[in-house]
Amino acid sequence: MLTQRETHLQLARAVLDWNRKNLRHDTQLTVADVAQCFGERFVVEPNGRHYAADRQAYLDFLNGMKSGMQGIEYQVLHTVADGDSVLFDMAVQINHTDGRQEHFIAMLLMRFDTEGKVKLWKEVYLPKP
């Protein structure tokens, strides 16, 4: 039997895999797709901002964000996890449909509800020099 920490690590890695698969201009996301990883209601905190979200609102955001994306890749450099949350220190590359590439250093904190769905997505992205 997996510990809570191990379960959360698996869930967090699965969310990154979901992003790799779905955050592309050529995917058609639905609320059911978002529900694979995210709770009915959750909090998103990107770069110091705070949003209370639901699946439909997040779907709308993702569809806009991914419209010019060819894909996203994460290189996890360091992981910290406990029974409550997972924190990834990462190098992130976003490829765009116009050929541009963006490189970031990122910290991503995820917390999960009792159903194993994201209830907190807190991230800080800094452009990589």
Side-chain angles (χ1 to χ4, degrees):
M1 177 177 253
L2 295 177
T3 66
Q4 192 74 359
R5 177 186 178 278
E6 293 166 332
T7 299
H8 287 159
L9 279 169
Q10 283 185 351
L11 291 169
R13 289 182 186 121
V15 173
L16 294 185
D17 288 341
W18 187 93
N19 282 355
R20 286 180 183 105
K21 176 183 171 190
N22 292 294
L23 297 186
R24 303 175 42 84
H25 71 97
D26 57 356
T27 59
Q28 299 296 318
L29 290 177
T30 66
V31 170
D33 294 321
V34 174
Q36 291 174 11
C37 296
F38 293 87
E40 285 190 48
R41 299 198 186 310
F42 54 99
V43 172
V44 180
E45 294 184 351
N47 290 337
R49 296 180 308 262
H50 178 94
Y51 303 100
D54 61 31
R55 291 173 180 157
Q56 181 63 56
Y58 201 55
L59 172 64
D60 295 342
F61 164 77
L62 291 177
N63 280 331
M65 182 185 77
K66 73 181 187 66
S67 65
M69 289 176 60
Q70 188 65 37
I72 189 167
E73 187 50 54
Y74 304 97
Q75 178 187 5
V76 176
L77 305 170
H78 190 77
T79 303
V80 177
D82 59 22
D84 184 52
S85 57
V86 174
L87 176 70
F88 288 136
D89 169 24
M90 305 180 294
V92 179
Q93 179 176 312
I94 298 175
N95 298 312
H96 295 274
T97 55
D98 63 6
R100 286 180 303 121
Q101 290 185 339
E102 292 182 286
H103 299 269
F104 299 93
I105 297 298
M107 299 290 263
L108 171 60
L109 173 68
M110 283 184 266
R111 288 196 171 140
F112 299 92
D113 63 19
T114 57
E115 296 176 4
K117 307 295 183 182
V118 172
K119 69 177 182 179
L120 173 67
W121 177 277
K122 184 174 185 172
E123 62 187 357
V124 176
Y125 271 59
L126 298 172
K128 188 174 180 180

